[in-house]
Amino acid sequence: MKANEKATLILAERRRENKEKQANRIREVYTKIPQIEAIDKLIKEVGFKSLKLASNNVDTTTYEEKINKLKKEKQKLLIGNGYPIDFMELKYHHDLCKDTGFVGTRQCSCRKQLIIDDNYDKSGLKAAINRENFRTFNMGLFSKNPYMSYSISPYENMAKIVGEIKAYINNFDRESGNIYIQGQVGRGKTFLINAIAKELLDRNYSVVYMTSTKLFKFLNDYHWAFEDRRENLEDLYEMIFDCDLLIIDDLGAETHRSTDQSNLFDVVNERMNKGLPIILSSNLDEDMISEIYGPRVFSRILGNNSKTYEIFGEDLRLKGTDYDFS
């Protein structure tokens, strides 16, 4: 089930619960204070007469005064019996939208939060991205000194990458090209991916993160599963193909099976046909990826405005940080 649909169901359930709780409170008051039930009946009767007369352009002032007097009497009885004056009224989880999820035609913050929370849960990144994001991203870990034969320093390279990635995030609704991030272990690929995922999740986009090992195992399990088990896997299978951003981490690290190439092609091809991007990371360069998965898959991964970034420099794991710089 998509996050939007789930949010709609949650809000509908909240409204149902609100009415049920109100009905229970009203029953409680009527049982303890029967006079209030009689007053409510009178208020309805007088209100009905008032509306009927108003529709015929008859002055209803006396009726309105009577209703106000009855309401004040009801409030005194509630307070006298230890109840707040609004005890019998409908209560909401969120007063601003009255649990509809919308303020006018605009989506309410409570509905947005439900969608964000659901996307977080489905992303597979909930714990990691609260620690690894652009707020905790430390550019000071990257050396400003020349590195091997590269024309710029690791710091300059990462600053350029982060700048382009942030522009990609800010224009995500118009992006369809893939991103391929390569570099040796410990250079910060996974940290960067987590930072991207958090930014997009916080902006209401759906993100699914999977290592290539887990992705290919899941797809094989799905295709070979019996019908009853396949139903249990259906939601994640659909998310892989339909989420706003799919992240495949550590491509090429898996134990290669004959089905991996075709599975990867199916995922990449279908998402590209839908205009949905993928971010892939790998310790392997482009030539190795092409060799493992074949030129057909490689051309789909890096075609159509896709970008490749290489992260280089020293192993950041040796700098005494607890973060996952894989």
Side-chain angles (χ1 to χ4, degrees), residues 26-208:
I26 290 171
R27 277 195 296 271
E28 179 185 331
V29 170
Y30 285 173
T31 301
K32 290 184 178 179
I33 319 167
Q35 301 99 303
I36 287 181
E37 184 174 9
I39 288 171
D40 277 346
K41 285 180 180 177
L42 266 177
I43 289 172
K44 283 182 183 177
E45 288 172 9
V46 175
F48 179 75
K49 288 177 183 177
S50 177
L51 284 172
K52 194 172 181 181
L53 291 170
S55 66
N56 293 316
N57 296 319
V58 176
D59 182 22
T60 59
T61 303
T62 55
Y63 288 89
E64 289 165 13
E65 288 173 351
K66 187 172 183 180
I67 288 171
N68 287 331
K69 187 178 179 181
L70 288 167
K71 284 181 177 178
K72 285 178 182 177
E73 188 180 342
K74 176 180 173 179
Q75 288 174 0
K76 282 181 183 178
L77 284 168
L78 283 169
I79 293 168
N81 285 273
Y83 291 104
I85 58 174
D86 65 346
F87 183 75
M88 297 172 70
E89 293 174 12
L90 195 60
K91 307 283 176 44
Y92 304 100
H93 286 74
H94 194 212
D95 288 328
L96 183 63
C97 70
K98 295 181 170 51
D99 295 336
T100 62
F102 291 90
V103 180
T105 58
R106 297 183 66 183
Q107 198 167 208
C108 183
S109 60
C110 69
R111 181 182 172 88
K112 287 180 181 178
Q113 194 59 52
L114 285 171
I115 293 169
I116 289 170
D117 290 345
D118 190 55
N119 284 334
Y120 260 69
D121 289 338
K122 290 175 180 174
S123 71
L125 287 166
K126 193 170 185 178
I129 58 182
N130 287 325
R131 297 176 62 248
E132 300 173 10
N133 51 68
F134 282 121
R135 286 188 299 102
T136 60
F137 196 93
N138 184 3
M139 284 294 299
L141 292 171
F142 297 90
S143 173
K144 295 183 179 181
N145 298 320
Y147 184 77
M148 298 176 66
S149 60
Y150 291 92
S151 59
I152 58 175
S153 69
Y155 179 91
E156 291 170 315
N157 179 57
M158 183 53 78
K160 178 176 179 292
I161 292 172
V162 168
E164 291 189 16
I165 289 291
K166 286 185 175 179
Y168 175 88
I169 291 167
N170 289 334
N171 293 285
F172 187 74
D173 58 341
R174 296 187 292 278
E175 293 289 351
S176 60
N178 299 327
I179 291 179
Y180 182 74
I181 303 172
Q182 66 178 79
Q184 296 178 18
V185 173
R187 270 59 184 180
K189 299 186 302 298
T190 299
F191 196 111
L192 180 60
I193 281 171
N194 289 345
I196 296 167
K198 178 168 174 56
E199 285 294 314
L200 291 174
L201 284 164
D202 287 346
R203 298 181 191 206
N204 262 17
Y205 293 105
S206 56
V207 178
V208 170

